Amino acid sequence: MSTTRKHTALPKAQILIEALPWLVKHNGRTVVIKFGGNAMIDEDLKAAFAQDVVFLHHAGLRPVVVHGGGPQISAALDRHGIVSEFKAGLRVTTEDAMDVVRMVLAGQVQRELVGLLNQHGPLAVGLTGEDAHTITATRHRPEIDGEPVDIGRVGEITAIDTGAIEALLADGRIPVVSSIARSQDDGHVYNVNADTAAAALAAALGAETLMVLTDVEGLYEDWPHSDEVISRLTASQLEKLLPDLSSGMVPKMEGCLHAVRGGVHTARVIDGRVQHSILLEIFTDEGIGTMVVPDGAEGEQS
């Protein structure tokens, strides 16, 4: 009996010991996690995500969760009879659509995520970028064929105030931030890309790490000809690749680039379809996904 118990327990102990140097390294550090993709829709993945974030909290890290809600917004717009239109990879957001976006992000997606986290204790507090001037934006006019295009209430971030988030972290809470911004100049609110919002918050908070959950394994070396994932690259290497990336990966990788150029030590794109991918990435020697590091940090262990 005791021999059997010894053998079954040993791998668990080895896993915990492998995590030790990473626990020491990340203790007290802020990590910003962009929640998105399939992990937002699949019930098992949602529950595993909440467990991971609570684990990070109890392991001495300071997680901040940022979320969008593309699929949920599209479904709600359909129910309201509002057509979803995209230009330059961004959702055209009319005044009517903005009301729905705000309702879905702050009233549905955020509430569900806060509820999942709070099954583990009184931890999560939801806010949007409107609260305490956390995210301020002005109207974003993307260029298509060299001409600026009006896509409605889509914002470009102009300022971040981390005061409310810092206060929550200091109080031992887990902030859950919806990617809506207050307007800098016209009293309205803006829909902002959640990847961009997560990167801007990571830089402003001086985060150790930005983690972006996606529905792919990471950044592919030569997609679609190869499914070899680039495990690590520098900011300059990433910048050279940006023009050739698929449209869905551009805001994610631009966010990673912005974060590491803004002082974040590492930015990672990880596969949110894998249960507990966050823990695998932070606490194991192998890690998964693609890690972006600042120029000059090629040789460092992260």
Side-chain angles (χ1 to χ4, degrees):
M1 175 66 187
S2 61
T3 315
T4 316
R5 196 162 65 233
K6 198 159 62 186
H7 285 315
T8 53
L10 196 57
K12 292 177 185 171
Q14 285 167 335
I15 289 163
L16 290 169
I17 292 302
E18 186 183 330
L20 180 59
W22 308 110
L23 283 165
V24 172
K25 178 181 168 58
H26 294 300
N27 191 48
R29 303 294 174 84
T30 302
V31 52
V32 175
I33 305 163
K34 158 52 187 1
F35 180 56
N38 223 37
M40 288 186 101
I41 300 158
D42 180 286
E43 296 302 322
D44 292 337
L45 289 173
K46 273 195 279 202
F49 174 83
Q51 287 173 331
D52 284 7
V53 172
V54 172
F55 186 97
L56 295 185
H57 169 80
H58 286 300
L61 285 81
R62 306 191 327 154
V64 176
V65 179
V66 180
H67 72 88
Q72 293 91 335
I73 291 168
S74 294
L77 289 172
D78 283 349
R79 286 197 299 275
H80 285 79
I82 300 170
V83 177
S84 288
E85 187 188 353
F86 290 84
K87 288 182 183 174
L90 296 165
R91 184 187 297 277
V92 177
T93 309
T94 60
E95 297 292 339
D96 287 346
M98 188 63 227
D99 288 341
V100 175
V101 167
R102 196 185 198 180
M103 182 176 70
V104 170
L105 292 182
Q108 180 190 334
V109 180
Q110 182 202 90
R111 292 294 94 206
E112 184 180 17
L113 191 45
V114 166
L116 283 167
L117 291 164
N118 285 345
Q119 285 176 9
H120 304 278
L123 298 169
V125 178
L127 63 155
T128 79
E130 301 165 72
D131 292 311
H133 293 186
T134 299
I135 305 174
T136 301
T138 188
R139 188 178 288 254
H140 176 53
R141 295 182 192 272
E143 288 198 356
I144 299 178
D145 301 326
E147 293 293 314
V149 181
D150 185 3
I151 53 171
R153 303 227 65 84
V154 176
E156 190 166 319
I157 296 171
T158 55
I160 298 280
D161 183 332
T162 59
I165 292 175
E166 293 278 12
L168 288 168
L169 290 170
D171 192 35
R173 310 294 179 184
I174 301 172
V176 177
V177 187
S178 306
S179 60
I180 306 163
R182 68 182 279 269
S183 170
Q184 177 181 291
D185 37 32
D186 63 10
H188 289 280
V189 294
Y190 283 109
N191 180 15
V192 294
N193 180 286
D195 297 312
T196 311
L201 279 169
L205 286 162
E208 167 82 10
T209 296
L210 166 68
M211 305 183 91
V212 181
L213 268 64
T214 63
D215 282 342
V216 292
E217 292 169 68
L219 190 58
Y220 294 114
E221 192 102 34
D222 187 21
W223 186 257
H225 311 295
S226 153
D227 61 358
E228 194 70 31
V229 171
I230 302 169
S231 61
R232 184 185 177 93
L233 74 170
T234 64
S236 295
Q237 288 167 334
L238 173 57
E239 200 165 30
K240 290 194 185 82
L241 295 178
L242 277 177
D244 300 319
L245 298 183
S246 65
S247 60
M249 281 303 270
V250 169
K252 293 174 180 18
M253 299 318 298
E254 280 183 339
C256 287
L257 184 63
H258 173 83
V260 297
R261 290 252 162 98
V264 177
H265 293 180
T266 63
R268 306 138 188 260
V269 172
I270 61 173
D271 192 344
R273 300 167 304 176
V274 177
Q275 282 204 9
H276 304 300
S277 53
I278 293 170
L279 298 188
L280 289 169
E281 179 62 27
I282 284 199
F283 293 129
T284 67
D285 294 342
E286 284 81 29
I288 56 171
T290 298
M291 182 191 293
V292 183
V293 296
D295 294 325
E298 294 93 331
E300 286 181 27
Q301 267 300 103
S302 296

